[in-house]
Amino acid sequence: MTTPLLEISGVSKRFGANLANDDISLDLAKGEIVALLGENGAGKTTLMSILFGHYVPDAGTVSIDGAALPAGKPRAAIRAGIGMVHQHFALAPNLTVLENVMTGIEPLWAFASRTARARAKLEALSARFGLKVDPDARLGDLSVGEQQRVEILKALYNDTRILVLDEPTAVLTRTEAEHLFTTLKGMARQGLSLIFISHKLDEVMATADRIVVLRGGRKVAERRASETSKAELAELMVGRTVTRPVRAPSTPGAIVLEAAAVTLRLDGVDRLKAVDFRLSAGEVLGIIGVSGNGQAELARLLSGTARPSSGDLLLFGKPMGDPGVAGLVASGIGRVPEDRNKEGAIGDMAVWENAVLERLPRFSRHGLVDRKAGMAFAQEIIARFDVRGGGPATRIRLLSGGNMQKLILGRNLIDRPHILIAAQPARGLDEGAVASVHERILEARKAGTAVLLISEDLEEVMALADRIQAIVGGRLSPPVSAELADARMLGLMMAGEWSAETGAAHAS
Amino acid sequence: MSTLFDILASAGLWAAVLRIATPLILGTLGALLSERAGVLHLGIEGIMTFGAMIGWLAVYNGADLWTGFLVAALAGAAFGVLHAMLTVTLGLSQHVAGLGVTLFASSFSYYVFRMLVPVAGTPPTITPFQPLDIPGLTSLPFFGPAFFAQTAPTYLAIIAALLLGLVLFRTPLGLAIRMTGENPHAAESQGINPVAIRYGAVIAGSALMGMAGAFLTLSAFNSFFPTMVQGRGWICIALVVFSSWRPGRALLGALLFAFFDGVQLRLQPALNGIVPYQLFLMIPYLLSIAALAIMARRARVPQALMQPYRRGER
């Protein structure tokens, strides 16, 4: 074999007592896609930060074309042809696409920007790799997927040969993610070398040529994608056999929530169009669909932050009226919002404050917050729901996504709610956390809670839901029983194809 | 109604509009530059006061007018260093730091003035800038006296607005400034030093504020008195929002405000005795609030405005 394009050998990095990278070696050939697979905290991002010169390793070297790269020099890495696509985009929403890409590429004191030349180069890159963007669009007007394209183009702009993507699908919808992987494969065919960091087995198997598994800062395995399986990778990644739980049969109880021809009109647009569903105690109803088809609006409706424009919403058989958020929480509806960082928790407040915020009246005494009771409540959630990484007084943003989600689930489930609205509950979590979130949801179902599961993950819905309805363009399909559903059928339903014999009319 | 028409048709009104607008243009540009880099600069009111004082003092002590103007700019820049240290290096609240700079600069102006200028019944005066005679233009009927009978700093302010627009939107430096005001982390990852950019923008902006103050004592009037800035700095802060952080619109905004002010000054004597004149004093401010409410709704605030930048933190 010829010299690999990139060679990382024997890299170690220690942060205090924590050995983030322990003697890791990795190579990358021209035109190859290598996936760096590992749970959160396995050392993937640290390794890439060393590659990019953000950190100086304690031991080991990075070389490109056989020549060692100076440690800790991002400029040198850029010059050597390494481009980085960060998980949190480094972009400015008020500037245009072209301006975002152009920043910093010219000497600061040049008399005028050479906009025409930059535009031509951007358009050439965009055509070559099939990354369509409008150079003059304001970045903030673009969708997340388009913004990521800009971030990729920016990384490619400096004649990049090695492109590193840090959890590129964490922020994307399913369709956007599929589109991204097609693009990445095309790039590799054109001779670009790619490393992408992920903890999602599906995408790693579908996209990478070779998979390097990290765990606890060590490289535990390296496999060709064609010679491994998801089950093996999952076990290598977690270090033990992880099985996602699957629901056991159960008999649903009384109907607790019912929507009949509910329409929600916001800003003159019908976001939900005459949707019907029935949710019974002790069952999970899965609402499956690609993000942006009305899920957010449905969740708002059931969280008390919006009211139907027409149709009936019955809670425990009675019209819901306008109870407001506090009223809904009091009547026993638990909510797991889609975006846990924005709507589920307040990052700079303590775990215990986040735990009691929804039910402040209960934790008030003489008009003051009962801190002691709140701390005890949080401690109970932490113990019962296995929240790790901090105590009641820790700021919640210091917890990992999985532990934050366990706390959010915990504060809802600890009161044994009648209904749980869970929107994308496992999104962005690593394999171990997904399993424990699923377990909690099934436990709640067993205890008689009616669960409305809004998700775009086929596997998740098939594993948890008793009945499944698809949401497309604000319409809901009639329910199908999970026993009768398979991936192909659900895929068709998500595309808006549902048959009339199940009882519903096509979009007329 | 005919009074209003007479006022609008008089060359004197338009000359006054340009004169009233000049300090507003310079001050607004200064605040705008600073905010484009992500630093709110409420030190403007105090820096204008100090610039008015120190520029006048230099000329009173024998310096020529342009030297006085330059001294005011340098003094402004010095306060800019102070504001940048507080907001960029120390990352303090930009509101509080700015108000602190204003209070300090204003009281320091009175102190210096009192120390160096003897108390007198009528304030001492200097010979201010004289209107420029532009060949071929100043002699035009109506247009000459209306638009081409200004002092040099007025033309300078208009040129500065156009120049700042070019720098911000047509040069790599301008892009670096805007990127720093939008997302300093992104700027840094692209090889730009956000700290240096913010220092530079705050200091240059403060120099413009110092010049805005100096115009009051070296061109509009000929003496200094402590309350002369009269909230013009705060008007500039509002004009920045009104302009959506664009120098060209800042120029228009300043002219619009000056127009209201010029008209109300002339309406006062015309309607004397019918309405108390204080009512007219309010008009420009009321109209500015209305204009601000309309314009600012669509404004695109620099996303990192008022956010201190700390390396390595998200």
Side-chain angles (χ1 to χ4, degrees):
Chain A
M1 230 176 98
T2 50
T3 338
L5 175 61
L6 167 73
E7 197 168 10
I8 296 174
S9 53
V11 163
S12 296
K13 176 76 185 171
R14 180 182 285 280
F15 293 108
N18 175 24
L19 194 56
N21 280 174
D22 183 4
D23 192 25
I24 298 179
S25 298
L26 175 80
D27 58 71
L28 179 68
K30 188 172 183 318
E32 191 182 26
I33 303 183
V34 167
L36 211 51
L37 180 71
E39 305 242 69
N40 296 327
K44 300 165 295 187
T45 303
T46 306
L47 185 64
M48 289 305 107
S49 298
I50 288 170
L51 169 64
F52 204 64
H54 283 317
Y55 296 148
V56 181
D58 299 332
T61 55
V62 174
S63 35
I64 292 196
D65 281 335
L69 212 58
K73 295 270 185 333
R75 287 263 131 207
I78 293 174
R79 263 199 299 278
I82 302 176
M84 181 98 179
V85 176
H86 299 270
Q87 185 182 350
H88 305 280
F89 306 148
L91 298 168
N94 276 336
L95 303 188
T96 67
V97 168
L98 185 63
E99 286 172 338
N100 267 287
V101 172
M102 275 179 73
T103 304
I105 59 162
E106 295 178 303
L108 210 52
W109 300 103
F111 211 64
S113 295
R114 306 180 69 172
T115 317
R117 208 172 69 161
R119 177 190 300 270
K121 186 166 176 184
L122 177 66
E123 277 170 352
L125 272 176
S126 146
R128 181 175 156 205
F129 294 113
L131 293 158
K132 237 175 75 184
V133 285
D134 171 9
D136 299 312
R138 184 179 154 270
L139 191 99
D141 294 336
L142 303 182
S143 73
V144 176
E146 289 171 308
Q147 292 190 16
Q148 187 177 54
R149 263 178 250 162
V150 177
E151 180 85 355
I152 293 174
L153 284 168
K154 202 174 77 170
L156 291 172
Y157 195 88
N158 291 304
D159 301 317
T160 301
R161 293 184 293 165
I162 300 168
L163 188 65
V164 180
L165 300 106
D166 189 359
E167 308 245 354
T169 58
V171 290
L172 300 185
T173 63
R174 203 183 173 87
T175 11
E176 282 173 333
E178 276 160 17
H179 187 84
L180 171 71
F181 287 121
T182 319
T183 311
L184 295 186
K185 282 184 185 167
M187 289 177 169
R189 272 198 298 281
Q190 293 198 42
L192 214 63
S193 305
L194 296 108
I195 298 180
F196 81 94
I197 299 178
S198 177
H199 59 242
K200 294 183 189 160
L201 299 169
D202 289 308
E203 58 188 47
V204 164
M205 285 294 286
T207 315
D209 300 311
R210 207 145 47 86
I211 298 152
V212 170
V213 187
L214 298 188
R215 189 174 74 229
R218 288 163 173 276
K219 175 166 145 184
V220 291
E222 187 172 340
R223 296 281 187 275
R224 301 213 70 82
S226 50
E227 293 161 3
T228 184
S229 66
K230 266 168 65 176
E232 185 194 23
L233 289 177
E235 201 176 328
L236 285 168
M237 179 166 80
V238 186
R240 61 194 153 86
T241 327
V242 188
T243 36
R244 292 192 182 184
V246 180
R247 83 205 126 79
S250 75
T251 21
I255 293 174
V256 291
L257 181 65
E258 185 174 358
V262 166
T263 295
L264 177 61
R265 194 176 176 81
L266 292 173
D267 303 324
V269 184
D270 285 348
R271 302 288 173 176
L272 290 175
K273 297 168 192 159
V275 301
D276 294 294
F277 66 85
R278 285 197 182 90
L279 181 62
S280 307
E283 74 159 354
V284 176
L285 174 63
I287 304 286
I288 192 156
V290 177
S291 256
N293 273 293
Q295 289 95 327
E297 290 76 11
L298 183 61
R300 279 187 61 186
L301 212 54
L302 303 176
S303 308
T305 55
R307 296 202 53 211
S309 316
S310 65
D312 297 314
L313 207 52
L314 303 178
L315 185 62
F316 309 121
K318 290 190 251 355
M320 189 155 111
D322 187 9
V325 177
L328 278 179
V329 172
S331 66
I333 295 192
R335 299 157 310 149
V336 178
E338 179 172 341
D339 187 335
R340 58 181 159 271
N341 293 307
K342 278 195 191 133
E343 294 173 339
I346 300 167
D348 280 317
M349 285 172 72
V351 165
W352 78 268
E353 288 169 310
N354 274 290
V356 302
L357 217 47
E358 270 183 331
R359 31 187 79 68
L360 263 182
R362 222 172 85 192
F363 292 93
S364 304
R365 228 176 34 169
H366 316 307
L368 299 172
V369 178
D370 188 346
R371 189 187 170 91
K372 220 166 127 191
M375 294 280 247
F377 182 64
Q379 190 57 54
E380 199 188 334
I381 296 175
I382 288 173
R384 282 205 12 214
F385 292 86
D386 188 29
V387 180
R388 295 179 204 180
T394 313
R395 276 187 300 164
I396 202 164
R397 75 183 173 101
L398 300 176
L399 300 187
S400 71
N403 283 307
M404 199 190 281
Q405 193 73 318
K406 283 189 216 164
L407 184 91
I408 293 170
L409 263 172
R411 76 176 175 207
N412 284 304
L413 294 180
I414 202 162
D415 285 346
R416 298 194 159 237
H418 298 296
I419 301 171
L420 179 72
I421 314 288
Q424 322 286 358
R427 180 185 275 177
L429 302 185
D430 58 36
E431 206 48 41
V434 170
S436 83
V437 165
H438 285 182
E439 227 158 85
R440 294 303 178 188
I441 289 176
L442 289 176
E443 269 174 33
R445 166 177 174 269
K446 204 169 155 195
T449 298
V451 181
L452 189 77
L453 172 70
I454 300 173
S455 172
E456 54 178 350
D457 184 343
L458 274 177
E459 255 179 273
E460 175 171 83
V461 172
M462 282 167 66
L464 302 182
D466 297 282
R467 291 180 305 127
I468 303 168
Q469 288 180 269
I471 186 163
V472 181
R475 291 173 196 280
L476 268 185
S477 76
V480 294
S481 144
E483 276 71 33
L484 303 174
D486 56 26
R488 199 182 149 270
M489 177 182 177
L490 292 179
L492 284 174
M493 281 167 64
M494 284 166 78
E497 306 269 327
W498 53 72
S499 51
E501 72 256 30
T502 36
H506 268 286
S508 47
Chain B
M1 215 63 249
S2 68
T3 338
L4 192 61
F5 181 80
D6 289 343
I7 290 172
L8 293 179
S10 73
L13 169 73
W14 299 100
V17 166
L18 283 173
R19 190 173 63 242
I20 297 167
T22 303
L24 298 177
I25 297 169
L26 289 168
T28 306
L29 293 178
L32 187 151
L33 176 58
S34 175
E35 290 189 26
R36 270 287 184 179
V39 182
L40 181 70
H41 200 341
L42 298 183
I44 181 169
E45 182 82 5
I47 293 177
M48 282 178 72
T49 309
F50 197 85
M53 188 281 297
I54 202 78
W56 180 88
L57 197 63
V59 177
Y60 183 66
N61 283 303
D64 72 54
L65 287 162
W66 284 110
T67 310
F69 216 63
L70 184 70
V71 167
L74 290 175
F79 281 107
V81 174
L82 174 66
H83 188 57
M85 286 194 321
L86 296 174
T87 55
V88 182
T89 307
L90 298 178
L92 301 180
S93 153
Q94 297 184 0
H95 284 110
V96 178
L99 291 175
V101 169
T102 278
L103 293 172
F104 168 59
S106 322
S107 22
F108 192 48
S109 314
Y110 313 154
Y111 174 70
V112 173
F113 187 68
R114 262 302 129 243
M115 290 299 286
L116 299 181
V117 181
V119 183
T122 47
T125 57
I126 54 146
T127 312
F129 279 103
Q130 297 303 313
L132 286 187
D133 189 359
I134 306 172
L137 291 175
T138 308
S139 53
L140 289 174
F142 183 76
F143 291 99
F147 300 112
F148 300 104
Q150 301 296 323
T151 62
T154 297
Y155 301 113
L156 187 77
I158 293 168
I159 293 168
L162 303 177
L163 205 63
L164 185 62
L166 276 180
V167 169
L168 278 179
F169 294 103
R170 291 279 183 272
T171 68
L173 177 67
L175 182 54
I177 294 171
R178 286 186 291 138
M179 183 58 99
T180 302
E182 291 289 334
N183 185 346
H185 300 280
E188 164 124 81
S189 78
Q190 300 275 80
I192 289 162
N193 181 348
V195 172
I197 294 283
R198 284 194 164 179
Y199 258 86
V202 171
I203 291 170
S206 306
L208 284 166
M209 296 169 188
M211 287 156 72
F215 179 85
L216 295 175
T217 46
L218 302 184
S219 181
F221 307 105
N222 55 8
S223 58
F224 173 78
F225 46 98
T227 54
M228 71 187 311
V229 175
Q230 276 187 321
R232 283 184 179 85
W234 309 135
I235 297 286
C236 292
I237 294 291
L239 283 173
V240 173
V241 182
F242 176 85
S243 74
S244 293
W245 291 267
R246 290 174 172 273
R249 285 192 210 163
L251 179 63
L252 289 180
L255 289 169
L256 189 68
F257 180 84
F259 171 75
F260 293 145
D261 208 21
V263 170
Q264 71 84 10
L265 279 172
R266 279 159 182 74
L267 273 177
Q268 275 183 39
L271 297 178
N272 197 15
I274 308 169
V275 217
Y277 78 95
Q278 284 89 347
L279 188 75
F280 293 105
L281 291 179
M282 296 180 346
I283 290 174
Y285 300 98
L286 277 176
L287 288 174
S288 320
I289 291 173
L292 189 64
I294 296 162
M295 293 292 289
R297 290 188 55 178
R298 291 173 50 209
R300 296 232 154 94
V301 190
Q303 292 294 297
L305 184 61
M306 292 183 273
Q307 286 177 13
Y309 171 70
R310 290 190 190 91
R311 197 160 277 153
E313 250 183 47
R314 280 220 161 254

